[in-house]
Amino acid sequence: MVVWTEFERTTIQDIFSKMNYDIVGQQALARCLIVYPWTQRYFGNFGNLYNAAAIMGNPMVAAHGKVVLHGLDKAVKNMDNIKAAYAELSRHVDPDNFRLLGDCLTVVVAAQLGAAFTPEVQAAFQKFLAVVISSLRRQYH
Amino acid sequence: NGHRFKMSLSAKDKATVKALWAKISPKAKDIGNEALSRMLYVYPQTKTYFSHWSDLTPGSAPVRKHGKKVVAGIGLAVEKIDDLFAGLLTLSELHAFQLRVDPANFRILSHNILMVCAMLFPDDFTPEAHLAMDKFLARVALALSDKYR
């Protein structure tokens, strides 16, 4: 069972409550598709992903980025039972790709928060993502 | 057989890394301190390499001092970007025979360097810059672990 400190709970609630899910979702997913282009394998029907500019401007990428962030929101609102939040997620994605998306999300959030993204905040955020990803991995067994 | 798996960076990658480095290197000390501080704090298993330091907390004197060294190494790598394996030979031997840092930790430090670039230079650390830096740091790590076995 995951134990959260008061600081970790507050930090996660704080970050996500102030976040624009539409913008951050689009930025994180687009960045993932650009930096780790093999992740594009899951988006064959998304149209033009030929270069960074196309990916950044692609409306289907933006829409799916939003879906991803709203999916994360479930975990934010159920930190004590993240496992249950993802019991019904599809099993078509190599779970390692979730780690790559998580890293890109961390970069986007770091860019947004700047100095406010202290080592302690980073640790809380990355722990949260690690718990989410671990529970997603469990769906594959 | 003299073939080496080069995984060379494209001309565009090199240009992007050099341009980004030119922008961010004035804050080299901050980058080194922040990246190392975060690595030690967020990934406490990395502290095992520094048990001889008096203080491993973010921003401490030993961390700042070592951060400068690490970032100087990256600056050297940027300079030698056209032949990382030859250019980083001395550092490679240091890591192989003396430091023996498990290569998994290169990925951890790289992640923190990228994150700190985003934090300190949000407008410059575009997805394209991120891609080029990630590729570059991965190849630096390969060069550093080249002599491991």
PDB file of all heavy atoms in Angstrom, chain B residues 53-76:
ATOM      1  N   TRP B  53      31.055  12.409   1.344  1.00  0.00           N
ATOM      2  CA  TRP B  53      30.749  13.830   1.468  1.00  0.00           C
ATOM      3  C   TRP B  53      30.137  14.131   2.828  1.00  0.00           C
ATOM      4  O   TRP B  53      29.415  13.322   3.394  1.00  0.00           O
ATOM      5  CB  TRP B  53      29.754  14.264   0.392  1.00  0.00           C
ATOM      6  CG  TRP B  53      30.344  14.397  -0.964  1.00  0.00           C
ATOM      7  CD1 TRP B  53      31.636  14.186  -1.343  1.00  0.00           C
ATOM      8  CD2 TRP B  53      29.631  14.760  -2.143  1.00  0.00           C
ATOM      9  NE1 TRP B  53      31.771  14.394  -2.685  1.00  0.00           N
ATOM     10  CE2 TRP B  53      30.567  14.749  -3.212  1.00  0.00           C
ATOM     11  CE3 TRP B  53      28.303  15.098  -2.415  1.00  0.00           C
ATOM     12  CZ2 TRP B  53      30.217  15.067  -4.529  1.00  0.00           C
ATOM     13  CZ3 TRP B  53      27.959  15.417  -3.725  1.00  0.00           C
ATOM     14  CH2 TRP B  53      28.909  15.397  -4.757  1.00  0.00           C
ATOM     15  N   SER B  54      30.366  15.354   3.293  1.00  0.00           N
ATOM     16  CA  SER B  54      29.835  15.751   4.596  1.00  0.00           C
ATOM     17  C   SER B  54      28.342  16.079   4.512  1.00  0.00           C
ATOM     18  O   SER B  54      27.610  15.938   5.477  1.00  0.00           O
ATOM     19  CB  SER B  54      30.588  16.976   5.109  1.00  0.00           C
ATOM     20  OG  SER B  54      30.520  18.010   4.128  1.00  0.00           O
ATOM     21  N   ASP B  55      27.891  16.520   3.348  1.00  0.00           N
ATOM     22  CA  ASP B  55      26.527  17.030   3.250  1.00  0.00           C
ATOM     23  C   ASP B  55      25.980  16.739   1.845  1.00  0.00           C
ATOM     24  O   ASP B  55      26.524  17.218   0.858  1.00  0.00           O
ATOM     25  CB  ASP B  55      26.532  18.544   3.510  1.00  0.00           C
ATOM     26  CG  ASP B  55      25.136  19.146   3.582  1.00  0.00           C
ATOM     27  OD1 ASP B  55      24.150  18.438   3.289  1.00  0.00           O
ATOM     28  OD2 ASP B  55      25.024  20.337   3.946  1.00  0.00           O
ATOM     29  N   LEU B  56      24.883  15.958   1.807  1.00  0.00           N
ATOM     30  CA  LEU B  56      24.325  15.566   0.511  1.00  0.00           C
ATOM     31  C   LEU B  56      23.000  16.265   0.227  1.00  0.00           C
ATOM     32  O   LEU B  56      22.292  15.891  -0.697  1.00  0.00           O
ATOM     33  CB  LEU B  56      24.111  14.043   0.494  1.00  0.00           C
ATOM     34  CG  LEU B  56      25.399  13.217   0.424  1.00  0.00           C
ATOM     35  CD1 LEU B  56      25.155  11.786   0.890  1.00  0.00           C
ATOM     36  CD2 LEU B  56      25.945  13.214  -0.982  1.00  0.00           C
ATOM     37  N   THR B  57      22.671  17.264   1.030  1.00  0.00           N
ATOM     38  CA  THR B  57      21.384  17.949   0.839  1.00  0.00           C
ATOM     39  C   THR B  57      21.456  18.897  -0.357  1.00  0.00           C
ATOM     40  O   THR B  57      22.542  19.348  -0.725  1.00  0.00           O
ATOM     41  CB  THR B  57      20.992  18.745   2.103  1.00  0.00           C
ATOM     42  OG1 THR B  57      22.049  19.646   2.431  1.00  0.00           O
ATOM     43  CG2 THR B  57      20.751  17.807   3.274  1.00  0.00           C
ATOM     44  N   PRO B  58      20.295  19.171  -0.945  1.00  0.00           N
ATOM     45  CA  PRO B  58      20.267  20.075  -2.108  1.00  0.00           C
ATOM     46  C   PRO B  58      20.983  21.390  -1.838  1.00  0.00           C
ATOM     47  O   PRO B  58      20.766  22.016  -0.804  1.00  0.00           O
ATOM     48  CB  PRO B  58      18.766  20.295  -2.343  1.00  0.00           C
ATOM     49  CG  PRO B  58      18.122  19.069  -1.825  1.00  0.00           C
ATOM     50  CD  PRO B  58      18.953  18.620  -0.663  1.00  0.00           C
ATOM     51  N   GLY B  59      21.860  21.775  -2.739  1.00  0.00           N
ATOM     52  CA  GLY B  59      22.523  23.069  -2.617  1.00  0.00           C
ATOM     53  C   GLY B  59      23.692  23.133  -1.659  1.00  0.00           C
ATOM     54  O   GLY B  59      24.259  24.210  -1.451  1.00  0.00           O
ATOM     55  N   SER B  60      24.068  21.991  -1.086  1.00  0.00           N
ATOM     56  CA  SER B  60      25.190  22.003  -0.133  1.00  0.00           C
ATOM     57  C   SER B  60      26.499  22.305  -0.868  1.00  0.00           C
ATOM     58  O   SER B  60      26.574  22.213  -2.093  1.00  0.00           O
ATOM     59  CB  SER B  60      25.305  20.651   0.566  1.00  0.00           C
ATOM     60  OG  SER B  60      25.787  19.684  -0.353  1.00  0.00           O
ATOM     61  N   ALA B  61      27.541  22.635  -0.100  1.00  0.00           N
ATOM     62  CA  ALA B  61      28.834  22.979  -0.702  1.00  0.00           C
ATOM     63  C   ALA B  61      29.424  21.850  -1.548  1.00  0.00           C
ATOM     64  O   ALA B  61      29.852  22.088  -2.687  1.00  0.00           O
ATOM     65  CB  ALA B  61      29.806  23.433   0.387  1.00  0.00           C
ATOM     66  N   PRO B  62      29.470  20.601  -1.016  1.00  0.00           N
ATOM     67  CA  PRO B  62      29.998  19.525  -1.864  1.00  0.00           C
ATOM     68  C   PRO B  62      29.175  19.323  -3.146  1.00  0.00           C
ATOM     69  O   PRO B  62      29.737  19.015  -4.206  1.00  0.00           O
ATOM     70  CB  PRO B  62      29.910  18.273  -0.977  1.00  0.00           C
ATOM     71  CG  PRO B  62      29.701  18.751   0.397  1.00  0.00           C
ATOM     72  CD  PRO B  62      29.090  20.105   0.318  1.00  0.00           C
ATOM     73  N   VAL B  63      27.856  19.495  -3.036  1.00  0.00           N
ATOM     74  CA  VAL B  63      26.996  19.308  -4.211  1.00  0.00           C
ATOM     75  C   VAL B  63      27.277  20.384  -5.250  1.00  0.00           C
ATOM     76  O   VAL B  63      27.421  20.115  -6.439  1.00  0.00           O
ATOM     77  CB  VAL B  63      25.501  19.300  -3.817  1.00  0.00           C
ATOM     78  CG1 VAL B  63      24.610  19.327  -5.056  1.00  0.00           C
ATOM     79  CG2 VAL B  63      25.180  18.062  -2.980  1.00  0.00           C
ATOM     80  N   ARG B  64      27.391  21.630  -4.799  1.00  0.00           N
ATOM     81  CA  ARG B  64      27.682  22.722  -5.733  1.00  0.00           C
ATOM     82  C   ARG B  64      29.026  22.513  -6.422  1.00  0.00           C
ATOM     83  O   ARG B  64      29.175  22.719  -7.631  1.00  0.00           O
ATOM     84  CB  ARG B  64      27.703  24.064  -4.988  1.00  0.00           C
ATOM     85  CG  ARG B  64      26.344  24.556  -4.640  1.00  0.00           C
ATOM     86  CD  ARG B  64      26.385  25.909  -3.922  1.00  0.00           C
ATOM     87  NE  ARG B  64      25.060  26.255  -3.482  1.00  0.00           N
ATOM     88  CZ  ARG B  64      24.151  26.839  -4.257  1.00  0.00           C
ATOM     89  NH1 ARG B  64      24.436  27.158  -5.500  1.00  0.00           N
ATOM     90  NH2 ARG B  64      22.947  27.101  -3.777  1.00  0.00           N
ATOM     91  N   LYS B  65      30.001  22.107  -5.618  1.00  0.00           N
ATOM     92  CA  LYS B  65      31.358  21.915  -6.150  1.00  0.00           C
ATOM     93  C   LYS B  65      31.356  20.815  -7.212  1.00  0.00           C
ATOM     94  O   LYS B  65      31.929  20.966  -8.298  1.00  0.00           O
ATOM     95  CB  LYS B  65      32.288  21.557  -4.993  1.00  0.00           C
ATOM     96  CG  LYS B  65      33.740  21.414  -5.379  1.00  0.00           C
ATOM     97  CD  LYS B  65      34.625  21.188  -4.150  1.00  0.00           C
ATOM     98  CE  LYS B  65      36.034  20.820  -4.594  1.00  0.00           C
ATOM     99  NZ  LYS B  65      36.798  20.127  -3.567  1.00  0.00           N
ATOM    100  N   HIS B  66      30.669  19.730  -6.896  1.00  0.00           N
ATOM    101  CA  HIS B  66      30.662  18.625  -7.840  1.00  0.00           C
ATOM    102  C   HIS B  66      29.787  18.925  -9.058  1.00  0.00           C
ATOM    103  O   HIS B  66      30.083  18.486 -10.175  1.00  0.00           O
ATOM    104  CB  HIS B  66      30.209  17.328  -7.159  1.00  0.00           C
ATOM    105  CG  HIS B  66      30.553  16.124  -7.956  1.00  0.00           C
ATOM    106  ND1 HIS B  66      31.863  15.714  -8.142  1.00  0.00           N
ATOM    107  CD2 HIS B  66      29.786  15.256  -8.654  1.00  0.00           C
ATOM    108  CE1 HIS B  66      31.871  14.632  -8.911  1.00  0.00           C
ATOM    109  NE2 HIS B  66      30.611  14.331  -9.240  1.00  0.00           N
ATOM    110  N   GLY B  67      28.729  19.701  -8.826  1.00  0.00           N
ATOM    111  CA  GLY B  67      27.872  20.127  -9.924  1.00  0.00           C
ATOM    112  C   GLY B  67      28.665  20.868 -10.987  1.00  0.00           C
ATOM    113  O   GLY B  67      28.451  20.692 -12.192  1.00  0.00           O
ATOM    114  N   LYS B  68      29.596  21.693 -10.533  1.00  0.00           N
ATOM    115  CA  LYS B  68      30.454  22.451 -11.465  1.00  0.00           C
ATOM    116  C   LYS B  68      31.279  21.490 -12.311  1.00  0.00           C
ATOM    117  O   LYS B  68      31.434  21.695 -13.523  1.00  0.00           O
ATOM    118  CB  LYS B  68      31.417  23.350 -10.684  1.00  0.00           C
ATOM    119  CG  LYS B  68      30.903  24.727 -10.389  1.00  0.00           C
ATOM    120  CD  LYS B  68      32.038  25.621  -9.878  1.00  0.00           C
ATOM    121  CE  LYS B  68      31.614  26.300  -8.589  1.00  0.00           C
ATOM    122  NZ  LYS B  68      32.757  26.938  -7.899  1.00  0.00           N
ATOM    123  N   LYS B  69      31.807  20.446 -11.671  1.00  0.00           N
ATOM    124  CA  LYS B  69      32.642  19.469 -12.378  1.00  0.00           C
ATOM    125  C   LYS B  69      31.834  18.753 -13.446  1.00  0.00           C
ATOM    126  O   LYS B  69      32.290  18.560 -14.572  1.00  0.00           O
ATOM    127  CB  LYS B  69      33.150  18.417 -11.376  1.00  0.00           C
ATOM    128  CG  LYS B  69      34.628  18.472 -11.104  1.00  0.00           C
ATOM    129  CD  LYS B  69      35.094  17.228 -10.388  1.00  0.00           C
ATOM    130  CE  LYS B  69      35.787  17.643  -9.101  1.00  0.00           C
ATOM    131  NZ  LYS B  69      36.260  16.483  -8.328  1.00  0.00           N
ATOM    132  N   VAL B  70      30.630  18.334 -13.044  1.00  0.00           N
ATOM    133  CA  VAL B  70      29.776  17.577 -13.966  1.00  0.00           C
ATOM    134  C   VAL B  70      29.437  18.424 -15.181  1.00  0.00           C
ATOM    135  O   VAL B  70      29.523  17.975 -16.329  1.00  0.00           O
ATOM    136  CB  VAL B  70      28.498  17.109 -13.238  1.00  0.00           C
ATOM    137  CG1 VAL B  70      27.465  16.596 -14.222  1.00  0.00           C
ATOM    138  CG2 VAL B  70      28.836  16.031 -12.217  1.00  0.00           C
ATOM    139  N   VAL B  71      29.076  19.669 -14.939  1.00  0.00           N
ATOM    140  CA  VAL B  71      28.658  20.535 -16.037  1.00  0.00           C
ATOM    141  C   VAL B  71      29.845  20.894 -16.931  1.00  0.00           C
ATOM    142  O   VAL B  71      29.694  21.053 -18.146  1.00  0.00           O
ATOM    143  CB  VAL B  71      27.927  21.763 -15.453  1.00  0.00           C
ATOM    144  CG1 VAL B  71      28.384  23.043 -16.076  1.00  0.00           C
ATOM    145  CG2 VAL B  71      26.439  21.629 -15.624  1.00  0.00           C
ATOM    146  N   ALA B  72      31.046  20.978 -16.319  1.00  0.00           N
ATOM    147  CA  ALA B  72      32.242  21.203 -17.130  1.00  0.00           C
ATOM    148  C   ALA B  72      32.455  20.022 -18.074  1.00  0.00           C
ATOM    149  O   ALA B  72      32.852  20.197 -19.234  1.00  0.00           O
ATOM    150  CB  ALA B  72      33.456  21.394 -16.233  1.00  0.00           C
ATOM    151  N   GLY B  73      32.163  18.820 -17.577  1.00  0.00           N
ATOM    152  CA  GLY B  73      32.248  17.615 -18.412  1.00  0.00           C
ATOM    153  C   GLY B  73      31.284  17.680 -19.584  1.00  0.00           C
ATOM    154  O   GLY B  73      31.615  17.280 -20.700  1.00  0.00           O
ATOM    155  N   ILE B  74      30.080  18.182 -19.323  1.00  0.00           N
ATOM    156  CA  ILE B  74      29.095  18.294 -20.402  1.00  0.00           C
ATOM    157  C   ILE B  74      29.565  19.330 -21.419  1.00  0.00           C
ATOM    158  O   ILE B  74      29.448  19.132 -22.634  1.00  0.00           O
ATOM    159  CB  ILE B  74      27.703  18.634 -19.848  1.00  0.00           C
ATOM    160  CG1 ILE B  74      27.216  17.497 -18.965  1.00  0.00           C
ATOM    161  CG2 ILE B  74      26.714  18.874 -20.991  1.00  0.00           C
ATOM    162  CD1 ILE B  74      25.939  17.791 -18.235  1.00  0.00           C
ATOM    163  N   GLY B  75      30.106  20.425 -20.930  1.00  0.00           N
ATOM    164  CA  GLY B  75      30.642  21.452 -21.816  1.00  0.00           C
ATOM    165  C   GLY B  75      31.736  20.892 -22.703  1.00  0.00           C
ATOM    166  O   GLY B  75      31.798  21.181 -23.902  1.00  0.00           O
ATOM    167  N   LEU B  76      32.589  20.052 -22.120  1.00  0.00           N
ATOM    168  CA  LEU B  76      33.640  19.391 -22.897  1.00  0.00           C
ATOM    169  C   LEU B  76      33.018  18.495 -23.963  1.00  0.00           C
ATOM    170  O   LEU B  76      33.459  18.472 -25.122  1.00  0.00           O
ATOM    171  CB  LEU B  76      34.535  18.558 -21.963  1.00  0.00           C
ATOM    172  CG  LEU B  76      35.605  17.707 -22.649  1.00  0.00           C
ATOM    173  CD1 LEU B  76      36.650  18.600 -23.325  1.00  0.00           C
ATOM    174  CD2 LEU B  76      36.276  16.772 -21.652  1.00  0.00           C
TER     175      LEU B  76
END
